[in-house]
Amino acid sequence: AACRGEALWESETAYALGGRWLQNAIYIRDETMTKVHSFSKNISDAQVVGEYVRCTAIADLQMKGGKKRSLPIRVAAAHLTGGQFVDSRFLTFEGEKGYEIRQVLLDRPDVLMGDLNSYPDTERAEQCQQAYDPYIDAKDAGQLDQYFGWTLEGTQEAERAGYLRLENFKNTTAYGGTVDHIYLRPDVSLKFSKSFEVLGGNIVGNFEQSDHNLVMVGVIAL
């Protein structure tokens, strides 16, 4: 399952490698999962984002050899609005990340994951953004409360809907902090395994190919 979001800027590393669009994709391991169904959709409010649309890829996956759970697991991968261009105009985009999460959750995914461009709490947002121009500008303008609301908007909307977040407080981006998240719907028979990894190094070339690391965790069917 895959979907196409906004166009890449020529200054982005992936552009030189042939990339032209932001894309959400879901890959599965054939040995353990079977794809039952997949689809994608735009999740942005066009009146707010204009041509800079974001999307979600959704797949229904069946575990192979599993006797405990007969129903497919619905997985949604999303990349919410954000980045320096948007963050510097956060008052214009205020509410958009929450809107995008709600659009994803309309399809009731069991697992929600992706770059939500949102921190888990104000403390970590402040800690990681001291040298970030949009944070500095908001502080100088006396708008930190509104800015922090923006930096937490995606995670807070998911948690407001009852979704349970993987407690990952490691850096997942080159800029520091956790903005890549995995959530489980609370009313399904799934749980996170006890350990998780944030994979860097040779996996992503120390941020040479991407400004994000990979977050990996096991999901156990109860």
Side-chain angles (χ1 to χ4, degrees):
C3 65
R4 191 178 83 173
E6 67 180 76
L8 287 180
W9 294 356
E10 292 186 17
S11 59
E12 296 184 73
T13 304
Y15 194 93
L17 299 174
R20 293 296 180 269
W21 307 90
L22 289 177
Q23 176 175 295
N24 294 319
I26 297 173
Y27 294 87
I28 66 172
R29 184 177 294 170
D30 290 340
E31 295 90 345
T32 59
M33 305 292 290
T34 299
K35 185 186 77 171
V36 178
H37 176 63
S38 66
F39 62 98
S40 63
K41 68 176 188 179
N42 288 339
I43 56 175
S44 298
D45 182 346
Q47 292 184 330
V48 176
V49 303
E51 63 182 307
Y52 301 106
V53 296
R54 300 299 175 106
C55 62
T56 183
I58 298 175
D60 295 332
L61 308 175
Q62 183 75 56
M63 290 184 177
K64 290 184 177 179
K67 296 181 180 179
K68 291 185 177 180
R69 181 182 174 90
S70 59
L71 294 175
I73 298 171
R74 173 159 288 187
V75 178
H79 184 189
L80 303 188
T81 291
Q84 188 165 350
F85 174 81
V86 172
D87 291 346
S88 63
R89 300 162 176 80
F90 72 94
L91 291 176
T92 300
F93 289 87
E94 190 174 21
E96 176 60 22
K97 285 186 281 192
Y99 174 87
E100 291 172 356
I101 286 288
R102 291 192 297 275
Q103 292 301 303
V104 177
L105 298 188
L106 286 175
D107 292 291
R108 295 182 60 76
D110 302 314
V111 181
L112 167 65
M113 60 188 181
D115 175 3
L116 304 189
N117 273 311
S118 302
Y119 289 90
D121 55 50
T122 300
E123 179 183 355
R124 287 171 179 80
E126 185 170 27
Q127 182 181 34
C128 296
Q129 298 217 338
Q130 291 294 314
Y132 189 48
D133 286 342
Y135 166 86
I136 294 170
D137 292 342
K139 185 176 182 180
D140 290 344
Q143 297 173 334
L144 271 185
D145 287 344
Q146 299 99 309
Y147 182 76
F148 283 138
W150 168 249
T151 65
L152 274 60
E153 197 172 283
T155 51
Q156 286 191 335
E157 190 64 37
E159 289 161 20
R160 190 176 295 117
Y163 277 68
L164 306 175
R165 190 177 66 86
L166 173 68
E167 293 294 323
N168 168 24
F169 295 131
K170 295 185 178 181
N171 290 342
T172 65
T173 79
Y175 308 103
T178 300
V179 298
D180 303 278
H181 305 278
I182 305 174
Y183 283 88
L184 293 181
R185 209 174 89 205
D187 56 345
V188 294
S189 299
L190 298 172
K191 72 174 184 178
F192 291 121
S193 62
K194 292 183 178 180
S195 62
F196 70 90
E197 295 181 76
V198 176
L199 303 177
N202 294 332
I203 301 296
V204 293
N206 292 318
F207 300 115
E208 292 175 6
Q209 279 75 46
S210 174
D211 56 358
H212 290 256
N213 277 330
L214 306 176
V215 181
M216 184 173 71
V217 67
V219 175
I220 301 169
L222 302 177

